[in-house]
Amino acid sequence: MTEQTVTPGPEYADELARVDAWWRAANYLSVGQLYLLDNPLLTEPLALEHIKPRLLGHWGTVPGITLTYAHLNRIIMRRSANVLLVVGPGHGAAGLNAATWLEGTYSECYPDIGRDADGMRRLFRQFSFPGGVPSHADPHVPGSIHEGGELGYSLAHATGAALDNPGLVVACIVGDGEAETGPLATSWHAPAFLNPVSDGVVLPILHLNGYKIANPTVLSRLPRDDLHALLRGHGWEPVDVEGGDPAEVHAAYAAALDECFTRIGERRHPMIVLRTPKGWTGPATLHGKPVEGNWRSHQVPLPDVRTDPQQLVQLEEWMRSYRPHELFDTDGAPVPGIRSWHPRAELRMSAHPMAHGLTQRDLRLPEVSAHAVTVSAPGSDVAEATRALGDYLRATLVRNAEHHNFLLFAPDEHASNRLDAVFDVTGRRWLLPSHAGDDHLAADGRVFEVLSEHLCQGWLEGYLLTGRHGLFSTYEAFAHVVDSMVAQHAKWLHTAAGVPWRRPLPSLTYLLTSHVWRQDHNGASHQDPGFIDHILSKRAEVARVYLPPDANCLLHVADHCLRSRGLVNVIVAGKNPAPQYLDSDAARAHCVHGLGIWEWASTDAAGGTDVVLACAGDVPTQETLAAVGVLRDLVPDLRIRVVNVVDLTRLATPERHPHGMSERAYSAVFTSDAPVIFAFHGYPWLIHELTYNRRNHDHVHVHGFSENGTTTTPFDMCVLNEIDRFHLALAALERVPRVAGRLGHLRQRLLTELDRHHDHIRRTGEDLPEIRGWRWRS
């Protein structure tokens, strides 16, 4: 394997001249977006009225993006290659807007921005401007599946896009600032999981321009041999391209891409290490200080054009250095040599159908009833909810095997989370050496397990963004690792929903299990239900949270989520043996409504409800039903209504969430005046936030996780946070006026039970037998 720059022969001369002209045109258009309101072709000297009042955007990374785009176009045309581009460096949209405008795709998507002088003016004016487009490559940019706002996820997205896409090359520009992030550093593991037979190819282009916003970058200062050793150790074969002279760099880049595509044909993992100056072709200096090749070119190299006459002169000299009269005709259209110099139709990276969700295939999902658990009577049978889901997912893999459009992701937890039925039909993806005793490793496995939530999330996002389907299961507490990633994805989905030429994508669905109430053995570090708070802080059009109380409800919720589009779904469900309440038909109806009165558990059928016991989550549901039993023993004539909530957003008003209930419907379930004792899976304030403008909010009293956790027994976790049956029963009795005269005696009986529990677990190390063996009594 050679790692030396290869000098191409004279047959490249005409192609490279056209590459250079196209590159200059893209750079000119990028600078115009940063600075100009008018005079796009410089038909008159630049004046203050031509300059934007606020100069926003980034220049430093743009020349590398446009250079790479130009050379990828050359290789696509030369080889009819199928290439999708992921651009990682932040704030690079000016370069991509320019490239897609030159290719014509931008004008096809936005007919008012034509390839003429007026269209160029509109292209410039809208950039980082009120009512316009941002400086990140968000969904408005044709061909983009990656925003590049928050850094670190480009290579994971590229890998996810390549999975199950043989024949596709996903070129990924990795900025050297971005390369310092944890997620990107982990993403170099991709060769250990990419199958050369069934997957596409990821072609990383590590762009080392030397600086981030104010400092040198680590990888750009590593000795070359050390950097190569690092990359080779991960399975990549680096090819160098380096220089500051455009002609020399063009020749080297063309040769490098030819070499990389040859290696790709040999099923290897080439990559390019591109070293060019930051802010290349921009102003060399400003007031005696270096700009090109320096951190000062990171954002707007000439920041005071409107107040500094010297900078206005420099800006015009900079723009004219690209020789725009050679690039655009008098009407503002690219000259024929540039206008036609791009791949045809869908081979254009900006028109790739996969980037716009145009190549989707619906999942073939099994019948839920075929995988339902038996429920002979509410609460009488015991099952593991996620084990039932594992059987359903196994069938889903089988039904979609020929289409290769469904994958499962988890941080080494499918078996731990009782989803191991999937290993009956597939293995864990693994391309590195295997040893005797390894469990279910397979080069073509449909299960991806790696101890990085960032990689699981990034791979799945890339898979979804290119129109396929998947599920991410993880321990509840550690979903927080990807808080920022899911926030970015939710913003992408919301913005993309308003772009008419993008089809809605399969939803991002999480299964959070090994949850807070059954992390008694792992202790406080594993006890955090706050991911659902984070999700519900996002746009209501996108965010969904489900807390199925049993296995059959979990199956129906999962089926619904896997059929959905354009959403972020969070499902929270336990994996331990637990009572089952609803048969498949009842579970379906309950999940369709999102919440409802469980009449079989209620005692207020004759009317005059004394108290509502509401619950959301499997353990809170069990404790609520157990509390009903306690109250029936203590106060047999107490009129109790049990309400179970599956879809948390049903609690909100319709104005706040599309799933929200009308006030009339809400009051019919929760009443308008009875006290509501709400046992909740997560932090109590979330229920208060969802219901704060409901008519009876002052009557809602929430018991949830209050950060009281340790290594203890399962029931003691409930007691520590007062969502156990005894605290719930006491809370109910304290708010029913007609039992006030007996409250002292009733409270003492409940406190005695709590003391008995306290002493028993410290003596024996396990919960009381009647707690461990509790079953619902009809």
Side-chain angles (χ1 to χ4, degrees):
M1 179 191 75
T2 177
E3 293 174 352
Q4 303 302 313
T5 297
V6 177
T7 302
E11 72 276 7
Y12 284 90
D14 180 63
E15 280 189 346
L16 297 188
R18 300 183 76 175
V19 166
D20 183 70
W22 194 97
W23 179 52
R24 285 187 285 120
N27 287 341
Y28 178 87
L29 295 170
S30 300
V31 178
Q33 291 173 75
L34 294 179
Y35 286 96
L36 298 190
L37 284 173
D38 206 347
N39 192 19
L41 291 170
L42 302 184
T43 53
E44 55 183 296
L46 276 183
L48 292 184
E49 61 266 24
H50 302 146
I51 306 299
K52 293 180 178 181
R54 299 170 70 237
L55 302 179
L56 304 171
H58 290 60
W59 166 249
T61 190
V62 164
I65 292 172
T66 53
L67 178 78
T68 298
Y69 207 110
H71 279 275
L72 286 172
N73 273 351
R74 185 198 72 86
I75 203 76
I76 293 169
M77 289 186 284
R78 176 175 275 261
R79 295 176 179 249
S80 295
N82 180 15
V83 178
L84 182 70
L85 178 62
V86 173
V87 177
H91 300 278
L96 290 175
N97 292 341
T100 60
W101 188 84
L102 288 173
E103 288 188 322
T105 318
Y106 206 96
S107 299
E108 293 167 11
C109 294
Y110 305 102
D112 61 324
I113 302 180
R115 284 200 291 178
D116 54 25
D118 183 61
M120 188 186 298
R121 182 184 66 81
R122 292 172 182 266
L123 180 75
F124 290 179
R125 185 182 184 90
Q126 70 172 4
F127 183 78
S128 287
F129 201 78
V133 299
S135 62
H136 300 144
D138 80 345
H140 86 274
V141 179
S144 176
I145 66 165
H146 176 86
E147 181 156 340
E150 181 178 325
L151 301 178
Y153 314 132
S154 61
L155 192 51
H157 283 167
T159 302
L163 296 174
D164 289 326
N165 266 325
L168 177 69
V169 176
V170 188
C172 180
I173 304 176
V174 178
D176 49 355
E178 178 186 24
E180 295 179 3
T181 66
L184 198 289
T186 307
S187 295
W188 295 117
H189 289 309
F193 297 90
L194 285 167
N195 186 322
V197 175
S198 59
D199 297 329
V201 171
V202 177
L203 177 63
I205 300 164
L206 176 60
H207 185 205
L208 302 178
N209 62 28
Y211 293 90
K212 41 191 182 283
I213 192 168
N215 284 287
T217 55
V218 172
L219 295 190
S220 71
R221 298 294 176 93
L222 280 185
R224 186 184 306 270
D225 289 347
D226 290 351
L227 177 61
H228 284 181
L230 171 68
L231 297 171
R232 282 197 300 267
H234 284 294
W236 303 100
E237 299 178 1
V239 178
D240 286 313
V241 177
E242 181 174 357
D245 178 86
E248 293 178 358
V249 172
H250 285 317
Y253 211 163
L257 279 173
D258 281 342
E259 181 177 349
C260 286
F261 273 74
T262 297
R263 295 186 190 182
I264 287 170
E266 298 167 353
R267 296 183 175 178
R268 294 153 71 186
H269 294 286
M271 65 169 292
I272 288 175
V273 179
L274 173 66
R275 296 177 189 262
T276 59
K278 192 175 184 75
W280 194 20
T281 73
T285 62
L286 176 61
H287 298 309
K289 294 181 179 178
V291 177
E292 182 187 48
N294 186 270
W295 57 265
R296 293 184 181 88
S297 66
H298 181 79
Q299 293 178 317
V300 180
L302 303 173
D304 301 312
V305 174
R306 292 179 63 89
T307 57
D308 183 346
Q310 177 185 334
Q311 292 190 41
L312 182 63
V313 171
Q314 279 188 275
L315 174 59
E316 183 164 354
E317 291 174 347
W318 175 15
M319 296 191 72
R320 292 191 185 279
S321 73
Y322 296 117
R323 307 192 297 279
H325 60 281
E326 298 177 2
L327 310 174
F328 308 99
D329 63 25
T330 56
D331 294 327
V335 297
I338 294 175
R339 187 181 184 90
S340 62
W341 199 81
H342 58 72
R344 300 294 96 192
E346 292 182 350
L347 284 180
R348 292 174 296 176
M349 292 182 288
S350 58
H352 202 293
M354 194 168 288
H356 301 157
L358 303 180
T359 57
Q360 300 180 38
R361 181 188 295 273
D362 290 344
L363 278 179
R364 298 178 60 203
L365 292 170
E367 285 294 327
V368 172
S369 59
H371 304 277
V373 303
T374 299
V375 179
S376 54
S380 61
D381 300 284
V382 172
E384 297 166 306
T386 56
R387 193 171 298 282
L389 179 62
D391 189 59
Y392 171 89
L393 294 175
R394 177 197 56 76
T396 302
L397 287 167
V398 171
R399 289 174 64 86
N400 294 277
E402 65 178 300
H403 301 308
H404 305 284
N405 64 337
F406 183 62
L407 292 176
L408 301 172
F409 299 86
D412 194 34
E413 291 157 3
H414 277 91
S416 171
N417 288 335
R418 314 291 197 268
L419 301 175
D420 44 312
V422 298
F423 296 126
D424 293 343
V425 297
T426 190
R428 297 176 172 93
R429 178 66 66 90
W430 192 255
L431 273 298
L432 293 175
S434 57
H435 298 156
D438 288 341
D439 185 41
H440 288 101
L441 302 185
D444 60 352
R446 311 299 295 167
V447 173
F448 285 74
E449 291 189 341
V450 59
L451 269 172
S452 166
E453 287 82 359
H454 286 125
L455 276 190
C456 291
Q457 172 91 12
W459 289 345
L460 176 55
E461 285 183 358
Y463 201 67
L464 299 173
L465 287 161
T466 46
R468 282 78 60 73
H469 308 260
L471 179 73
F472 179 10
S473 62
T474 185
Y475 280 25
E476 180 183 50
F478 305 131
H480 280 299
V481 173
V482 297
D483 273 1
S484 193
M485 290 184 77
V486 67
Q488 297 296 321
H489 189 74
K491 293 174 188 291
W492 176 280
L493 291 176
H494 176 253
T495 303
V499 178
W501 40 267
R502 287 186 180 272
R503 280 187 59 196
L505 296 168
S507 297
L508 169 59
T509 299
Y510 296 91
L511 171 66
L512 305 187
T513 187
S514 296
H515 60 55
V516 57
W517 300 111
R518 290 308 307 267
Q519 285 297 322
D520 41 274
H521 57 302
N522 279 324
S525 65
H526 287 53
Q527 295 161 358
D528 186 343
F531 189 70
I532 57 179
D533 300 59
H534 177 61
I535 294 300
L536 289 184
S537 72
K538 306 309 158 199
R539 296 285 307 207
E541 298 90 337
V542 173
R544 305 286 186 269
V545 171
Y546 300 96
L547 294 162
D550 65 3
N552 289 335
C553 288
L554 172 59
L555 291 172
H556 284 287
V557 165
D559 183 81
H560 166 76
C561 291
L562 291 175
R563 294 179 192 276
S564 66
R565 292 288 195 282
L567 302 174
V568 175
N569 300 307
V570 178
I571 308 169
V572 185
K575 66 183 183 181
N576 298 97
Q580 304 300 304
Y581 310 109
L582 305 179
D583 64 24
S584 185
D585 290 340
R588 177 187 293 108
H590 186 48
C591 293
V592 166
H593 289 99
L595 58 77
I597 300 169
W598 279 4
E599 295 182 1
W600 52 267
S602 303
T603 61
D604 69 335
T609 306
D610 289 317
V611 64
V612 176
L613 295 186
C615 47
D618 50 8
V619 169
T621 296
Q622 177 174 326
E623 289 306 304
T624 295
L625 293 173
V628 172
V630 171
L631 289 169
R632 283 163 51 188
D633 289 341
L634 293 176
V635 186
D637 64 340
L638 195 67
R639 293 165 299 191
I640 305 166
R641 175 175 295 185
V642 176
V643 176
N644 183 262
V645 179
V646 178
D647 178 354
L648 269 189
T649 60
R650 293 287 280 156
L651 299 174
T653 61
E655 295 76 23
R656 297 185 61 210
H657 198 283
H659 284 197
M661 301 174 73
S662 69
E663 188 62 39
R664 181 178 180 180
Y666 180 90
S667 295
V669 173
F670 290 96
T671 81
S672 58
D673 54 3
V676 178
I677 310 303
F678 203 126
F680 178 49
H681 174 87
Y683 292 108
W685 54 70
L686 181 56
I687 299 300
H688 286 298
E689 205 281 330
L690 289 168
T691 61
Y692 79 92
N693 55 354
R694 290 297 188 181
R695 189 176 302 153
N696 72 334
H697 177 252
D698 289 347
H699 300 293
V700 177
H701 309 278
V702 186
H703 292 235
F705 185 64
S706 54
E707 284 295 331
N708 291 313
T710 183
T711 301
T712 185
T713 68
F715 183 69
D716 196 49
M717 274 295 298
C718 297
V719 172
L720 290 173
N721 293 277
E722 298 187 1
I723 73 153
D724 63 282
R725 59 202 68 182
F726 303 120
H727 280 104
L728 294 176
L730 179 58
L733 293 171
E734 288 174 339
R735 291 170 176 85
V736 178
R738 69 185 183 87
V739 301
R742 294 176 282 167
L743 185 58
H745 294 288
L746 297 173
R747 177 187 287 116
Q748 188 58 55
R749 289 177 64 179
L750 294 171
L751 294 179
T752 297
E753 290 299 318
L754 289 169
D755 288 342
R756 181 166 163 259
H757 153 76
H758 177 276
D759 294 343
H760 180 84
I761 64 170
R762 281 157 180 78
R763 185 175 67 255
T764 68
E766 62 181 357
D767 288 320
L768 288 159
E770 61 267 36
I771 298 293
R772 288 183 279 123
W774 177 86
R775 296 292 182 271
W776 168 253
R777 291 182 292 123
S778 61

